């Protein structure tokens, strides 16, 4: 029965993907993409990957969906031109053949996978007590593979700098985004007043339980960023100027604390990002607490885009 | 056939569908890059 339901979800997501590709309007395609992301979340839950499901729902369906809708809105002006530029039938057939070959190759790889794949899960289970956290995903991300997480946090800051660098010289240091306004009595402003208090609690809860249960800073930060974005889109708040020192310190504060703890590990525990046994959990929590505001700000500002207005506006 | 295999096959097909869409309808991506 479960197998049948899973096959049904598979057929549904494939149908949605085809709809997304064939949709004549960009907005419809964007909605199809977001729905695909939500269905992917269900699939990860079915595969027992709860942490991945949370991040897929928050980032894959949520923040990326907002980004795609924003892009669709920007492209509305050129949509008519884009329709005229569709490729001819021979090229479409060739593209379909190429896509079919790639899909068939990947499908063959799926069938070639071993029945019982090699896994490091037993090693994680054997050593998780030394980290002090109960969630194996958190133990992997912040202890056994902490270097990857550190680099992810740094890459996000560099991505934001890359987005900011697209700003024209005259507004460098100014406020990101166009400065949204909405009807104070409209449904958007209403939702932006009602949802953030709930969303903030959910975001902090998901962050808080991350040490022992599925959740963590990335998922929590994404929800907090979405709540801020909702309030900003409704015109209830505005993005700070990127020249603001406090903003910049918050953005780099998380990665800097992470690096400092890593260097302290090199001096005290003998390796970069190694934790002394009895201090592992407090240090992991310190990194999580430091990264949370940095990630929230980075994700929110990545969505808002480069500065478009002077700081005084 | 188990659930991971079903979803693995779905993922393979999704990659194919995405690749097809990117080739036959590259205008949105091109316009985004152009507008930057």
């Amino acid at each position: 029965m479960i197998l049948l339901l899973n096959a049904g979800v598979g057929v549904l997501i494939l149908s949605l993907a085809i709809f997304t590709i064939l949709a004549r309007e960009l907005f419809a395609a964007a909605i199809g993409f977001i729905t695909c992301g939500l269905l992917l979340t269900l699939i990860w839950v079915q595969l027992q990957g709860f942490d991945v499901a949370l991040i897929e729902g928050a980032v894959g369906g949520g923040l990326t969906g907002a980004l795609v809708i924003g892009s669709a809105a920007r492209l509305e002006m050129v949509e008519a031109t884009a329709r005229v530029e569709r490729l001819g039938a021979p090229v479409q057939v060739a593209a379909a053949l190429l896509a079919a070959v790639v899909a068939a190759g990947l499908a063959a790889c799926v069938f070639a996978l071993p029945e019982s794949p090699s896994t490091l899960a037993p090693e994680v289970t054997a050593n998780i007590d030394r980290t002090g956290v109960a969630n194996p995903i958190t133990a992997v991300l912040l202890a056994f593979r902490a270097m990857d997480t550190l680099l992810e946090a740094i890459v996000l800051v560099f991505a934001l700098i890359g987005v900011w660098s697209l700003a024209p010289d005259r507004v460098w240091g100014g406020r990101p985004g166009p400065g949204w306004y909405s009807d104070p009595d409209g449904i958007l402003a209403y939702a932006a007043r009602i949802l953030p208090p709930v969303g903030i609690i959910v975001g902090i809860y998901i962050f808080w339980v991350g040490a022992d249960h599925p959740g963590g800073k990335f998922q929590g930060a994404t929800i907090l960023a979405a709540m801020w974005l909702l309030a900003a889109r409704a015109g209830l708040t505005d993005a700070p100027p990127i020249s603001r020192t406090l903003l910049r310190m918050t953005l780099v504060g998380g990665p800097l604390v992470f690096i400092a703890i890593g260097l302290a590990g090199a001096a005290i525990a003998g390796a970069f990002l190694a934790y002394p046994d009895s201090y592992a959990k407090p240090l992991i929590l310190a990194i999580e607490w430091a990264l949370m505001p940095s990630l929230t700000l980075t994700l929110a500002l990545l969505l808002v885009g480069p500065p478009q207005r002077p700081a005084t506006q | 056939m188990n659930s991971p295999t079903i979803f693995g096959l779905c993922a393979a097909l999704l990659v194919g569908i995405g690749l097809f869409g990117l080739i036959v309808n590259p205008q949105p991506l091109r316009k985004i890059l152009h507008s930057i």
Side-chain angles (χ1 to χ4, degrees):
Chain A
M1 185 64 184
I2 289 293
L3 209 61
L4 204 63
L5 281 174
N6 287 345
V9 172
V11 170
L12 196 58
I13 199 169
L14 288 172
S15 309
L16 265 171
I18 293 170
F19 165 78
T20 304
I21 295 298
L22 299 179
R24 299 183 71 83
E25 291 183 9
L26 280 175
F27 187 73
I31 297 300
F33 175 82
I34 293 169
T35 316
C36 275
L38 296 176
L39 279 176
L40 274 179
T41 305
L42 272 182
I43 289 177
W44 281 115
V45 170
Q46 274 298 90
L47 294 173
Q48 309 291 309
F50 300 112
D51 285 86
V52 188
L54 275 172
I55 206 73
E56 175 60 41
V59 177
L63 282 190
T64 311
L67 201 62
V68 170
I69 287 179
S71 302
R74 283 189 72 175
L75 292 171
E76 213 171 21
M77 305 292 287
V78 298
E79 195 173 0
T81 319
R83 278 184 203 159
V84 176
E85 290 175 3
R86 286 198 183 267
L87 299 173
V91 182
Q92 291 202 25
V93 171
L97 281 174
L98 174 67
V101 168
V102 170
L106 288 172
C109 293
V110 170
F111 282 116
L113 288 173
E115 280 297 315
S116 48
S118 60
T119 173
L120 292 173
E123 281 82 351
V124 172
T125 308
N127 293 287
I128 194 169
D129 288 344
R130 296 176 64 191
T131 67
V133 296
N135 182 7
I137 305 295
T138 304
V140 170
L141 291 180
L142 284 165
F144 307 133
R145 301 288 298 179
M147 179 66 91
D148 292 346
T149 310
L150 170 62
L151 292 178
E152 276 173 17
I154 293 172
V155 161
L156 276 176
V157 175
F158 276 107
L160 182 61
I161 294 170
V163 169
W164 284 357
S165 69
L166 300 173
D169 286 346
R170 61 188 166 75
V171 291
W172 176 251
R175 293 180 187 273
W180 290 289
Y181 172 80
S182 73
D183 177 8
D185 298 322
I187 188 68
L188 180 60
Y190 179 71
R193 288 189 182 94
I194 294 292
L195 285 181
V198 180
I200 289 169
I201 291 173
V202 171
I204 291 174
Y205 174 76
I206 286 181
F207 161 67
W208 180 252
V209 300
D212 297 324
H213 301 286
K217 60 197 174 306
F218 271 102
Q219 294 92 329
T222 309
I223 293 171
L224 293 185
M227 292 303 108
W228 177 83
L229 199 65
L230 179 62
R233 292 301 293 256
L236 300 180
T237 183
D238 200 1
I242 66 163
S243 56
R244 193 169 285 176
T245 308
L246 180 63
L247 172 77
R248 295 185 178 192
M249 290 302 295
T250 310
L251 285 172
V252 298
L256 283 180
V257 168
F258 208 158
I259 292 170
I261 289 176
L263 290 173
I268 298 168
F272 183 66
L273 285 170
Y275 311 126
D277 277 351
S278 49
Y279 292 99
K281 186 168 184 182
L283 290 173
I284 287 174
L285 292 181
I287 292 169
E288 294 252 74
W289 276 99
L291 278 179
M292 182 73 172
S294 297
L295 289 173
T296 304
L297 262 180
T298 307
L299 292 172
L301 292 174
L302 273 173
L303 270 178
V304 176
Q308 297 178 29
R309 299 165 288 150
T312 50
Q313 192 174 327
Chain B
M1 188 178 286
N2 53 20
S3 295
T5 307
I6 289 176
F7 292 140
L9 290 175
C10 281
L13 289 171
L14 284 174
V15 170
I17 293 168
L19 180 63
F20 175 75
L22 191 64
I23 294 172
V24 301
N25 194 14
Q27 287 84 8
L29 182 62
R30 208 178 70 206
K31 298 292 180 188
I32 289 172
L33 295 176
H34 182 70
S35 69
I36 288 170

